[in-house]
Amino acid sequence: MTFRMLAAPAAFSLLLLSGCSATPPSPQVNALHQEVSQLNQQMRTLTHQATALEIQGQLNGQLNQGAWLLPQANTPVELETQLGKLRLSLTHVRGEPGGSRADLTLVAPQNQPLPALRAQVVWGELDPASGKPLEAESVSQPLSVAAGLTPRSSVTVSLRLNGFTPQQLGYVRIHQVEPLSAASPQH
C-alpha cells in the first residue's frame, strides 16, 4: 500500500510535467523570437552593407577611374572632375523588364550651380569571390545633364541599367565627366 501511495502521486506529477512541456509558447516568447529574427536580418543587412562599403572604398582608391557606386553600400562618393568636386549617390535601385532602374544624384559643392555636363556610365556585376568588377560583361552608355532654367546645386537622373537585375547589379561607375558645351549634342 505504501508503494501505491507513493507511485500514484509520482505518476500524476510526471503526467503534469509532461503536459507543461507541450503547452504553446506564451505571446511574450513569440514576440522575443520575432525580435531576435528581425535583429538577425538587420545584422545581415549591415554586414552586406559594410562589405560593399569596403569594396567601394577600395575601388575609389583608384582615382583615375571615376566614381564607383555599389548599390549595397548605400553611401555617396566624391569625384574630382573638370567641373570641380561632385558628390554622387545611387539610390532607389529597382527592377524593371530587361534590367534595373536607379536614381543617380549629382551634387555640386557648397550649393554652387551645377553646370551642364556629360559623363560615361558603366555598370555590371561583381565577382562573388573577390568582390572585383566583372568588366568584361559590363554595359556602358553616355549620360548628359542639361543646365537647368534656374541655377541648381543638385540634379537626380533616372538611369536605365539594362541587362542586370537589382540582385545582379554589383556596381555603377561614373567617369569622363566634363562640361557639356552648347555645340555638343545632348543624349
Side-chain angles (χ1 to χ4, degrees):
M1 181 145 175
T2 316
F3 177 74
R4 280 189 176 171
M5 290 177 78
L6 292 174
F12 183 71
S13 295
L14 285 174
L15 185 62
L16 279 177
L17 287 175
S18 67
C20 289
S21 66
T23 58
S26 70
Q28 294 87 355
V29 170
N30 285 337
L32 187 59
H33 283 289
Q34 189 172 2
E35 273 187 59
V36 168
S37 176
Q38 289 172 348
L39 287 172
N40 283 337
Q41 179 60 36
Q42 289 173 349
M43 283 298 294
R44 280 191 294 276
T45 300
L46 289 173
T47 300
H48 290 302
Q49 184 177 1
T51 301
L53 191 56
E54 182 179 340
I55 293 168
Q56 180 173 287
Q58 290 170 358
L59 291 170
N60 283 308
Q62 305 164 2
L63 298 176
N64 60 347
Q65 292 194 8
W68 296 83
L69 296 160
L70 276 60
Q72 286 190 334
N74 197 26
T75 302
V77 171
E78 288 189 347
L79 176 63
E80 190 63 48
T81 70
Q82 293 178 17
L83 306 168
K85 195 175 282 189
L86 295 177
R87 186 175 177 96
L88 308 170
S89 59
L90 191 68
T91 57
H92 302 105
V93 178
R94 56 211 177 269
E96 70 171 32
S100 301
R101 186 170 291 275
D103 294 336
L104 173 67
T105 303
L106 301 102
V107 180
Q110 302 168 352
N111 291 326
Q112 295 177 3
L114 189 66
L117 60 91
R118 69 174 160 216
Q120 196 65 26
V121 180
V122 180
W123 63 92
E125 292 182 276
L126 293 176
D127 182 317
S130 69
K132 304 251 186 243
L134 297 173
E135 294 187 77
E137 297 179 18
S138 66
V139 182
S140 177
Q141 74 181 21
L143 169 72
S144 294
V145 176
L149 296 176
T150 58
R152 57 188 175 176
S153 62
S154 70
V155 65
T156 299
V157 178
S158 183
L159 298 175
R160 188 163 191 208
L161 307 168
N162 293 328
F164 297 93
T165 65
Q167 294 76 23
Q168 294 170 317
L169 184 65
Y171 69 91
V172 174
R173 181 168 60 105
I174 312 298
H175 65 111
Q176 298 175 348
V177 178
E178 54 190 36
L180 183 65
S181 66
S184 298
Q186 293 187 12
H187 298 277

